[in-house]
Amino acid sequence: MGVQDAIAEISTFLGQRLTRSKSDLEIHGRSESHFPQSPPDAVAYPETTNEVARLVRICAAHGCPVIGWGTGTSLEGQAQAFDGGIVVDFVRMNRILEIRPEDMDVTLQPGVTREALNQELRATGLFFPVDPGANASLGGMASTRASGTTAVRYGTMRDNVLGLEVVTASGEVIRTGSRARKSSSGYDLTALFVGAEGTLGLITELTLRLQGQPEAISSAVCGFNSVGDAVAAVIETIQMGLPMARIELMDSASVAAVNAYAGMDLPEQPHLLLEFHGSETNVAEQAETFGMIAAEHDGTGFDWATRPEDRTALWTMRHNAYHAILAARPGARALVTDLCVPISRLAEAIEATQADLAQSGIEGPILGHVGDGNFHAILLFDETDHEAAAAASALSERMVLRALDLGGTATGEHGIGRGKLGYMAREHGGGWAMMGALKQALDPGNIMNPGKLVPPREPS
Amino acid sequence: MGVQDAIAEISTFLGQRLTRSKSDLEIHGRSESHFPQSPPDAVAYPETTNEVARLVRICAAHGCPVIGWGTGTSLEGQAQAFDGGIVVDFVRMNRILEIRPEDMDVTLQPGVTREALNQELRATGLFFPVDPGANASLGGMASTRASGTTAVRYGTMRDNVLGLEVVTASGEVIRTGSRARKSSSGYDLTALFVGAEGTLGLITELTLRLQGQPEAISSAVCGFNSVGDAVAAVIETIQMGLPMARIELMDSASVAAVNAYAGMDLPEQPHLLLEFHGSETNVAEQAETFGMIAAEHDGTGFDWATRPEDRTALWTMRHNAYHAILAARPGARALVTDLCVPISRLAEAIEATQADLAQSGIEGPILGHVGDGNFHAILLFDETDHEAAAAASALSERMVLRALDLGGTATGEHGIGRGKLGYMAREHGGGWAMMGALKQALDPGNIMNPGKLVPPREPS
């Protein structure tokens, strides 16, 4: 069989770094998605681009699926080998190749995690802003077009990848983009691979934009009587052009969960969590302006802190919110929704979600990157209760359809994988077929992460 | 013959709006490029997306080339019908369909020009920032991935197009993107069409991001003893993270030309032209910081103005610089180069260009969007002097190769068209073949703007 032949050939040059050990297959068969275990046939640990290219050439010859793996934190099954094949784990390709402070960019291998990068950058006065919460690999973040809490100011991976090295489906190595800040030179291949979830090729090197560490940072929390009031404050803040670095919503249920998990004592009401970046005067000016907006919407307890330890506590709490919400209901599983709508429709989208949650009796704390119009409801249900799981799925689907009706998208930052495949035709119409044509052109053998993102195709 | 049959069929529903008048063919046969006249077989003036789709379906059936036309201001022959066919002029598709101040976005037809849009936006407190100088159409600007003086702050068309309606090469109408500020939903088709120069389809509608008009704007000029000093000041400004709205370089020759053309009296030395956007205090802070940086590099005459009429005079002068340079040498033609390099290599790239200009005896005033590392040398030669034209071409080629060696791109904002086709293999390697594969997949009949951007292909 093709997959076994491919594994045998790849073993000849990867040796021990191609493994079929039970534990390795198991670890790489699950993810943070709600999909069941589906172990690959083997896991490869390449150390160089050449090894990746050689591996892909062999897989192409044998029709063996190739699935990229960063840290396994994707939420829609992107890294799972549903059809078997070889998972390529980039953990050993984790070198930062060159930091260029004068150009504010960095070239690195895909296995570098965002925390490792920022640790390394600390001495340079620069940082990489995209922050999805999880300590994901940068190759994975690029492949998912990830974003997170700071996208409202610094953009998503779409905006922060300058160029890539990619191993194509035929095992060729190409480079996209350049280190120039802009270019009108041909099709934007970088943008094509960012968000492609490994279905068109494997990213083996990235050049990323960096940002200067702001002179001053302050963070703040502010409580509101209702999600509607909080969102109204957000909309006004964005429309005024305040350059917020972070502006995050947590509803009462999320606040209750983090209070319990992190020993905080926030009032159990909807909160905005904020961060301001700029010069000293600038940050003070921003905080003051926000304070005025919040007051107009009956915001309470607005207070801003500049001490690093207070900031760290705040954002650690926010990053742990997902785990806090799960911990509040032992034995529960979560279906994490990921809508993004035009900011003017955000209150409507959240309120409709809350009404739907109330009516269906499903527990679903809401939090999100509201400055972008992006929010998540963490739909909780008992692992063994199939009816509850189905009800959560149905609610998730209603949420997506409402977001699309409001001019939004089914996924602001988690991607498609297999989990959101069912919404692609609805969201993109003929564009989804076009994505299939692009996939067919660049991966005619359908070996790169098959079964994800594009319309299903018979194996060739 | 196919083209004639296509014309006959299209006439049945476009009537007088499909024209073969000599003047129309002539106007649409030239552009601001250095290419000779090449009139199309006919010019179409559609008024609706459906008309465009119907036209393209007929052209697909007859193998007739289809070339989009905005205002004809592209510089690399993008809109010229080198192989004949039908030019689709979008001048009658110039309606602004919906401005949504609360979401800071707008949906419009491709024939709307950027000045018409900003005129219409004036009352809303919003503006569209991308400013390539020419009053280009927004469909054309998207297709060229245009940028200009404000990209250093607000990004290029890549960053400011949220979604598109596109007529594909088979005459199907698809939509890309959404009005959500971000999305991880599938391949980034919007980014694929932005910069595709009409080779994959025709843009029939755009949704663009808008910006809030800044509370305060001030502009400034500052002279320097050398281009090296000016560029050193730019590099330091960018590296400090000053959020410059514009930072433009004009060398001594450019300054001399605009002095003569616009009746200015700037000292004949290299200058930076600047604009600051923000709150009152913020703008003052930025200008002060820049003043300090300039002083360290022996900048002289630094002065900033907040009066709108002073600003307008300054930027009108800058926008007219190209015409001023041409006017300074009657009868001359220009080959406009468009390099973009990492900012740390900018001084090196400009100095090498100056040395090359001096050595080859070619006149070539330099100006550019130096905050992005992008600059133009306007290589002048007499229209009738073929040897001089060849020398200018050779110089341009040396400039491009140096830019690529420095990690840059052959074109920061003017695009490929036919003019830069010869550099694609060098700049993109295997990526250029990949672009050809994408083109083949989406336009198998090679009817959309053939002979541009991708590797040449035999007509199918």
Side-chain angles (χ1 to χ4, degrees):
Chain A
M1 179 199 162
V3 173
Q4 302 312 322
D5 292 343
I7 289 171
E9 270 189 59
I10 293 164
S11 283
T12 64
F13 67 95
L14 282 189
Q16 300 288 321
R17 290 189 282 109
L18 186 78
T19 148
R20 314 191 64 172
S21 85
K22 191 158 177 289
S23 68
D24 248 323
L25 299 187
E26 235 178 68
I27 289 167
H28 293 85
R30 63 169 171 251
S31 71
E32 296 193 15
S33 76
H34 51 283
F35 292 104
Q37 270 276 15
S38 54
D41 292 292
V43 180
Y45 295 95
E47 290 177 347
T48 65
T49 297
N50 277 344
E51 286 182 349
V52 176
R54 200 167 161 190
L55 178 152
V56 171
R57 282 196 298 273
I58 292 167
C59 288
H62 294 287
C64 172
V66 181
I67 301 100
W69 183 280
T71 58
T73 48
S74 56
L75 289 162
E76 299 293 352
Q78 284 97 330
Q80 279 177 280
F82 296 115
D83 304 319
I86 296 176
V87 160
V88 179
D89 186 327
F90 285 101
V91 69
R92 296 173 82 102
M93 288 180 71
N94 67 345
R95 281 183 306 130
I96 296 173
L97 301 172
E98 195 179 357
I99 300 170
R100 304 177 201 86
E102 67 288 6
D103 287 317
M104 300 171 74
D105 66 28
V106 61
T107 299
L108 44 74
Q109 292 185 312
V112 176
T113 66
R114 64 172 188 87
E115 286 180 8
L117 173 60
N118 279 323
Q119 184 66 34
E120 192 68 25
L121 289 173
R122 204 162 281 189
T124 64
L126 299 168
F127 76 111
F128 182 70
V130 183
D131 174 9
N135 184 23
S137 71
L138 289 153
M141 285 168 62
S143 293
T144 312
R145 207 184 296 130
S147 47
T149 56
T150 59
V152 63
R153 169 75 166 259
Y154 298 104
T156 73
M157 289 304 282
R158 179 187 200 275
D159 309 296
N160 288 286
V161 179
L162 283 169
L164 297 170
E165 178 188 80
V166 173
V167 171
T168 70
S170 62
E172 195 193 349
V173 181
I174 65 158
R175 287 187 172 275
T176 74
S178 75
R179 292 211 304 112
R181 281 290 149 140
K182 63 181 194 183
S183 172
S184 284
S185 181
Y187 303 152
D188 191 345
L189 297 181
T190 304
L192 186 62
F193 284 101
V194 171
E197 303 185 348
T199 61
L200 299 176
L202 290 175
I203 295 172
T204 48
E205 196 182 292
L206 304 91
T207 296
L208 305 174
R209 294 181 77 136
L210 301 173
Q211 299 287 333
Q213 282 167 12
E215 184 189 321
I217 301 180
S218 74
S219 56
V221 288
C222 186
F224 290 87
N225 295 326
S226 70
V227 164
D229 283 343
V231 169
V234 171
I235 293 176
E236 206 173 314
T237 303
I238 298 299
Q239 286 171 355
M240 274 201 61
L242 266 200
M244 304 301 304
R246 288 176 157 130
I247 184 163
E248 296 282 308
L249 172 75
M250 296 177 73
D251 74 353
S252 308
S254 298
V255 169
V258 300
N259 275 345
Y261 188 79
M264 311 284 285
D265 56 356
L266 293 172
E268 282 192 19
Q269 60 179 155
H271 274 75
L272 292 179
L273 282 57
L274 309 126
E275 193 165 275
F276 309 99
H277 291 181
S279 67
E280 295 285 355
T281 53
N282 199 225
V283 159
E285 198 176 62
Q286 289 178 47
E288 253 167 58
T289 308
F290 177 81
M292 284 189 294
I293 294 172
E296 278 166 32
H297 297 280
D298 302 325
T300 50
F302 175 63
D303 194 20
W304 50 291
T306 53
R307 291 195 316 162
E309 54 270 38
D310 295 341
R311 288 207 313 272
T312 303
L314 183 69
W315 298 113
T316 303
M317 174 190 87
R318 168 64 188 89
H319 282 335
N320 287 333
Y322 173 63
H323 299 293
I325 288 166
L326 279 178
R329 185 162 154 180
R333 286 188 57 195
L335 198 167
V336 184
T337 65
D338 178 35
L339 309 187
C340 191
V341 297
I343 189 112
S344 68
R345 316 307 291 274
L346 181 59
E348 198 175 337
I350 295 182
E351 281 160 12
T353 300
Q354 290 184 310
D356 204 340
L357 284 163
Q359 197 170 359
S360 27
I362 294 173
E363 210 181 330
I366 289 174
L367 35 77
H369 318 306
V370 281
D372 301 314
N374 183 205
F375 69 97
H376 312 293
I378 318 290
L379 306 181
L380 297 169
F381 52 93
D382 289 328
E383 186 136 29
T384 52
D385 185 343
H386 295 294
E387 211 171 299
S393 278
L395 171 56
S396 167
E397 178 159 339
R398 289 193 299 276
M399 287 177 65
V400 168
L401 299 186
R402 274 195 300 265
L404 298 183
D405 285 345
L406 295 174
T409 176
T411 170
E413 55 182 13
H414 295 170
I416 300 301
R418 178 163 287 188
K420 292 269 166 62
L421 210 51
Y423 304 122
M424 290 297 277
R426 173 76 176 245
E427 179 163 348
H428 299 287
W432 196 36
M434 181 175 280
M435 293 182 203
L438 297 175
K439 165 79 170 173
Q440 171 75 39
L442 300 193
D443 179 20
N446 196 24
I447 62 163
M448 305 308 297
N449 209 2
K452 320 279 170 71
L453 195 150
V454 294
R457 173 154 57 111
E458 294 303 306
S460 63
Chain B
M1 178 200 159
V3 173
Q4 302 312 323
D5 292 343
I7 289 171
E9 271 189 57
I10 294 164
S11 284
T12 63
F13 66 96
L14 282 190
Q16 300 288 321
R17 291 188 281 111
L18 186 77
T19 150
R20 313 192 64 172
S21 85
K22 192 157 175 292
S23 68
D24 248 324
L25 299 187
E26 237 177 66
I27 288 168
H28 293 86
R30 64 168 170 251
S31 71
E32 295 193 16
S33 76
H34 52 283
F35 292 104
Q37 269 275 18
S38 55
D41 292 291
V43 180
Y45 294 96
E47 291 177 347
T48 64
T49 297
N50 277 345
E51 286 182 349
V52 176
R54 200 166 161 192
L55 179 152
V56 172
R57 282 196 297 272
I58 292 167
C59 288
H62 294 286
C64 173
V66 181
I67 302 100
W69 183 279
T71 57
T73 48
S74 57
L75 289 162
E76 300 293 353
Q78 283 97 330
Q80 278 178 280
F82 295 115
D83 304 320
I86 296 176
V87 160
V88 179
D89 186 327
F90 284 99
V91 68
R92 296 173 82 103
M93 288 180 69
N94 66 347
R95 282 183 305 130
I96 295 174
L97 301 172
E98 194 179 357
I99 300 171
R100 303 177 202 85
E102 68 286 6
D103 286 317
M104 300 172 73
D105 67 28
V106 60
T107 299
L108 44 75
Q109 291 185 313
V112 176
T113 65
R114 65 173 186 86
E115 286 180 7
L117 173 59
N118 279 323
Q119 185 65 36
E120 192 67 26
L121 289 173
R122 204 163 282 189
T124 63
L126 300 168
F127 76 111
F128 183 70
V130 183
D131 175 7
N135 184 23
S137 71
L138 290 153
M141 285 168 62
S143 293
T144 312
R145 207 184 296 130
S147 47
T149 55
T150 58
V152 62
R153 169 73 168 259
Y154 298 104
T156 73
M157 289 304 282
R158 179 187 200 276
D159 309 296
N160 288 284
V161 179
L162 283 169
L164 297 170
E165 179 189 78
V166 172
V167 171
T168 70
S170 62
E172 195 193 348
V173 181
I174 66 158
R175 287 186 172 275
T176 74
S178 74
R179 292 210 305 111
R181 283 288 149 142
K182 64 180 193 182
S183 173
S184 284
S185 179
Y187 302 153
D188 191 344
L189 297 180
T190 304
L192 186 62
F193 284 100
V194 171
E197 302 185 349
T199 61
L200 299 177
L202 290 174
I203 295 172
T204 48
E205 197 182 291
L206 305 91
T207 296
L208 305 174
R209 293 181 78 135
L210 301 174
Q211 299 287 334
Q213 282 167 13
E215 183 189 321
I217 302 181
S218 74
S219 56
V221 289
C222 186
F224 290 86
N225 295 325
S226 69
V227 164
D229 283 342
V231 169
V234 170
I235 294 176
E236 207 174 314
T237 303
I238 298 299
Q239 286 171 356
M240 274 201 60
L242 265 200
M244 303 301 304
R246 288 175 156 129
I247 184 163
E248 296 282 308
L249 172 75
M250 297 177 71
D251 74 353
S252 309
S254 300
V255 169
V258 301
N259 275 344
Y261 188 79
M264 310 284 284
D265 56 355
L266 293 171
E268 282 193 17
Q269 61 180 153
H271 274 75
L272 292 179
L273 282 58
L274 310 125
E275 193 165 275
F276 309 98
H277 291 181
S279 67
E280 295 286 355
T281 52
N282 198 224
V283 159
E285 197 177 63
Q286 289 178 48
E288 252 167 59
T289 307
F290 177 80
M292 285 189 292
I293 295 171
E296 278 166 32
H297 298 279
D298 301 326
T300 51
F302 175 64
D303 195 21
W304 50 290
T306 53
R307 290 196 314 163
E309 54 271 37
D310 295 341
R311 288 206 315 272
T312 304
L314 183 70
W315 297 111
T316 303
M317 175 190 85
R318 169 63 188 89
H319 282 335
N320 286 333
Y322 173 63
H323 300 292
I325 288 165
L326 279 178
R329 185 162 155 180
R333 287 187 56 194
L335 198 166
V336 185
T337 65
D338 177 36
L339 310 187
C340 191
V341 297
I343 190 111
S344 68
R345 317 306 291 272
L346 181 59
E348 198 174 338
I350 294 182
E351 280 160 11
T353 300
Q354 289 184 310
D356 204 340
L357 284 163
Q359 198 171 357
S360 30
I362 295 173
E363 212 181 327
I366 289 173
L367 36 76
H369 318 306
V370 282
D372 301 314
N374 183 206
F375 69 97
H376 313 293
I378 318 289
L379 306 181
L380 298 168
F381 52 92
D382 290 328
E383 185 137 29
T384 52
D385 185 343
H386 295 295
E387 211 170 297
S393 277
L395 172 56
S396 167
E397 178 159 341
R398 290 193 298 277
M399 287 177 66
V400 168
L401 299 186
R402 274 195 300 266
L404 298 182
D405 284 346
L406 295 174
T409 176
T411 170
E413 54 182 14
H414 294 169
I416 299 302
R418 178 163 287 188
K420 292 268 167 63
L421 210 50
Y423 304 121
M424 290 296 278
R426 174 75 176 245
E427 179 163 349
H428 299 286
W432 197 35
M434 182 175 281
M435 293 182 204
L438 297 175
K439 165 80 170 173
Q440 171 75 42
L442 300 194
D443 179 20
N446 196 24
I447 61 162
M448 305 309 298
N449 209 2
K452 320 281 170 67
L453 195 150
V454 293
R457 169 154 61 112
E458 294 304 308
S460 64

